[in-house]
Amino acid sequence: MRPFLLALLAKEPAHGYELKQALEQIFGSAYPSPNIGQIYVTLGRLEKDGLVRAVDVEQPNRPNKKVYHLTAAGREALDAWADEPTEGPRVRDEFFMKLVLAPMTGISDRMTLINRQRRHYLALMRDLNELAGRTDPADRVALLLIEGAMLHLQADLDWLDRCQEDLS
Amino acid sequence: MSRSEPDRAGGAARKGRVVRGAGGEREAAPDPVVSTVNLVKIYQNGGVPVPAVRGVDLRVEPGEFVAIMGPSGSGKSTLVHMLGGLDVRTSGEIWLDGRRADTLGESAWALLRRQKIGFVFQFFNLVANMTVADNVELPALLAGASPRVARERREHLLGALGLTDRAGAAPAQLAGGEQQRVALARALANRPSLLLADEPTGNLDSRNTRDVLRLLGEVHRDGQTIILVTHDARVASLADRVVSLLDGQIVDDGAVGAARRRPRGTAGDVVELRG
Ligand SMILES: Nc1ncnc2c1ncn2[C@@H]1O[C@H](COP(=O)(O)OP(=O)(O)OP(=O)(O)O)[C@@H](O)[C@H]1O
Ligand SMILES: [Mg+2]
């Protein structure tokens, strides 16, 4: 959440609720709607670290609102975030650990574990298909996120095939 | 898992079973579209036997959409080739619509394919010296459709697969993914009651895969039976049932269920689905 808020503030100063709306607008339905409380907590931490600066703005007949600005240090942190490579997908997959460890204890056999997991992945894929089907075709960001999830699932299934060939 | 389930194997698979109807009277259940009994295929490779399919009992009901998955070399192509009469079984039985088929000769198989089986090969097999349009129309014409009906069907299929402007091309002028879609259109030209498709999306990008999925959905809703070999989980997840092969044997056979019971979500669920 921290770098997302810094990136939005690099575009223009904003108050907490505007940041929530901006995130919803950009990611559409592809991202869980951010919790406003979580946004304020994060902004508070960023302010404590000197990455943003809050300016009180008076409002008629209402409590002051805080408008957040990016500081020079915030700009640096944002640049560092954009420049560094992003972590790839995890490979210490929990299912894989189960597959290796469970048969040792005699709790379950590998073939059963793999077959059950394949059905689970396929059911997830079916969910993603349905989700894609009812997502507005104009919502490119959401559809790309769904497609990414599908490609990851496909890789998981291919890996399952490899496990079945080599471990059974 | 069907292998130990007598219902899907052995003698019960041969003939439509007699079941009790709602009113208690006896009525015949429809014959399965496909049923195999201990089906075996052993290739000879320079005198060395290569078992490709080792005792498959498979029963597919009318209108079912079955995906066959499994690693490379597990016998998927061999199995569907035998179901389409394109490869001869070594032992075991094949029944189509309640009739014994593995004992048929080549011309009887050719007739069956023309009348009710559409086949999509893993490596397309288009007629090289005919245009895309003719490749797709030919099976319908051979089956006795009028030229007008064959043309309309061809136009619909090529349109649904985004190939309208390739109708006049020769297969060799097409990209692999285009040839693959033409092969699917050709297989569907006759509205076959049984579609056998071997990796019909193997060469497609995700947009073209979406077109193929939509067309398969249409075919499925029309009540045609589909048996489809695929590595593509998107395709398999649309099937009613997934059969997994390993070393020529069925190791899993079951419905694709729902992942979890929950209200219809939005795409925002993706992050949680994968988290
Ligand atoms: N014509 C043939 N002659 C000899 N062996 C063959 C022949 N066709 C297939 N095989 C062998 O039979 C086995 C099963 O092959 P098959 O083509 O059915 O696998 P598959 O599951 O379709 O694989 P893929 O996913 O790579 O298409 C393999 O070991 C293969 O080498
Ligand atoms: Mg194959």
Side-chain angles (χ1 to χ4, degrees):
Chain A
M1 178 75 83
R2 284 169 65 108
F4 309 164
L5 298 185
L6 292 178
L8 291 172
L9 291 175
K11 197 163 142 266
E12 59 194 347
H15 56 83
Y17 192 70
E18 284 171 338
L19 292 170
K20 174 180 159 67
Q21 285 178 317
L23 279 174
E24 282 170 356
Q25 201 221 322
I26 293 169
F27 290 99
S29 54
Y31 207 83
S33 184
N35 173 311
I36 187 70
Q38 205 187 337
I39 287 183
Y40 281 119
V41 169
T42 310
L43 285 169
R45 289 193 187 134
L46 289 169
E47 188 179 10
K48 197 154 84 28
D49 294 344
L51 303 182
V52 304
R53 180 169 44 87
V55 177
D56 276 326
V57 175
E58 287 185 23
Q59 301 191 104
N61 310 325
R62 283 159 141 219
N64 290 353
K65 72 175 174 189
K66 278 186 172 175
V67 172
Y68 292 86
H69 297 249
L70 193 66
T71 64
R75 177 80 217 187
E76 257 173 55
L78 180 60
D79 287 345
W81 175 68
D83 287 346
E84 79 195 357
T86 308
E87 260 332 295
R90 76 270 172 276
V91 181
R92 257 171 295 142
D93 183 279
E94 186 181 341
F95 173 72
F96 188 70
M97 307 308 268
K98 199 190 275 184
L99 187 63
V100 173
L101 297 176
M104 286 196 210
T105 62
I107 327 173
S108 50
D109 75 284
R110 289 199 167 122
M111 198 64 99
T112 308
L113 284 171
I114 288 174
N115 288 338
R116 193 184 304 140
Q117 191 69 7
R118 184 189 297 104
R119 291 186 190 203
H120 177 64
Y121 284 154
L122 288 170
L124 285 175
M125 187 64 99
R126 174 174 279 196
D127 274 9
L128 288 171
N129 261 324
E130 283 166 10
L131 211 51
R134 59 175 188 272
T135 298
D136 178 358
D139 198 348
R140 301 305 313 157
V141 172
L143 286 171
L144 280 171
L145 199 60
I146 295 169
E147 189 171 340
M150 286 174 161
L151 290 169
H152 279 288
L153 257 185
Q154 180 71 54
D156 288 337
L157 273 156
D158 291 347
W159 193 30
L160 213 52
D161 266 1
R162 293 287 307 118
C163 292
Q164 192 153 33
E165 279 178 293
D166 278 19
L167 293 179
S168 60
Chain B
M1 289 200 211
S2 75
R3 302 191 70 224
S4 52
E5 222 173 78
D7 180 49
R8 281 222 177 117
R14 292 174 203 195
K15 256 318 205 176
R17 289 159 302 164
V18 174
V19 294
R20 288 205 178 279
E25 77 282 10
R26 289 160 77 82
E27 56 184 47
D31 285 310
V33 174
V34 169
S35 103
T36 71
V37 182
N38 200 14
L39 188 60
V40 171
K41 175 70 188 184
I42 301 171
Y43 290 108
Q44 293 295 332
N45 211 341
V48 183
V50 181
V53 169
R54 304 189 300 157
V56 163
D57 296 315
L58 178 69
R59 181 186 170 108
V60 178
E61 303 299 336
E64 247 191 315
F65 178 174
V66 177
I68 299 179
M69 303 189 85
S72 185
S74 57
K76 307 180 296 294
S77 293
T78 304
L79 175 60
V80 290
H81 282 174
M82 287 192 286
L83 298 182
L86 298 161
D87 215 336
V88 180
R89 55 118 180 73
T90 303
S91 64
E93 298 168 16
I94 302 172
W95 296 73
L96 299 180
D97 291 331
R99 293 209 193 90
R100 184 86 186 251
D102 55 274
T103 48
L104 296 176
E106 240 172 75
S107 57
W109 267 112
L111 190 66
L112 256 186
R113 279 195 298 274
R114 202 180 300 159
Q115 288 170 343
K116 58 180 173 194
I117 303 175
F119 202 99
V120 183
F121 292 87
Q122 189 167 7
F123 303 106
F124 327 138
N125 282 14
L126 298 173
V127 182
N129 56 6
M130 278 175 22
T131 63
V132 164
D134 290 343
N135 262 284
V136 177
E137 282 184 32
L138 184 67
L141 293 171
L142 285 177
S146 74
R148 188 178 58 80
V149 167
R151 194 188 63 237
E152 282 171 5
R153 181 80 181 141
R154 178 257 294 174
E155 284 168 354
H156 169 72
L157 290 166
L158 292 185
L161 293 168
L163 289 167
T164 301
D165 56 349
R166 308 301 278 144
Q173 298 171 302
L174 303 182
E178 290 172 330
Q179 293 188 42
Q180 188 155 46
R181 280 173 288 149
V182 174
L184 179 61
R186 177 184 59 182
L188 292 173
N190 274 344
R191 300 176 187 279
S193 56
L194 172 62
L195 175 69
L196 298 171
D198 195 355
E199 294 282 3
T201 61
N203 293 271
L204 303 184
D205 64 16
S206 54
R207 188 166 45 88
N208 292 326
T209 297
R210 207 184 318 133
D211 290 342
V212 168
L213 293 179
R214 200 176 302 126
L215 186 59
L216 288 175
E218 193 183 295
V219 164
H220 186 33
R221 276 193 304 280
D222 284 352
Q224 288 161 272
T225 306
I226 303 174
I227 301 178
L228 176 152
V229 172
T230 190
H231 279 107
D232 187 331
R234 270 186 78 183
V235 181
S237 73
L238 293 184
D240 300 316
R241 186 173 139 206
V242 174
V243 171
S244 298
L245 287 187
L246 184 68
D247 290 336
Q249 293 183 307
I250 294 179
V251 292
D252 195 22
D253 180 347
V256 180
R260 52 185 87 157
R261 297 266 156 252
R262 60 185 167 75
R264 295 162 68 87
T266 66
D269 295 348
V270 168
V271 176
E272 285 153 41
L273 275 175
R274 292 295 303 151

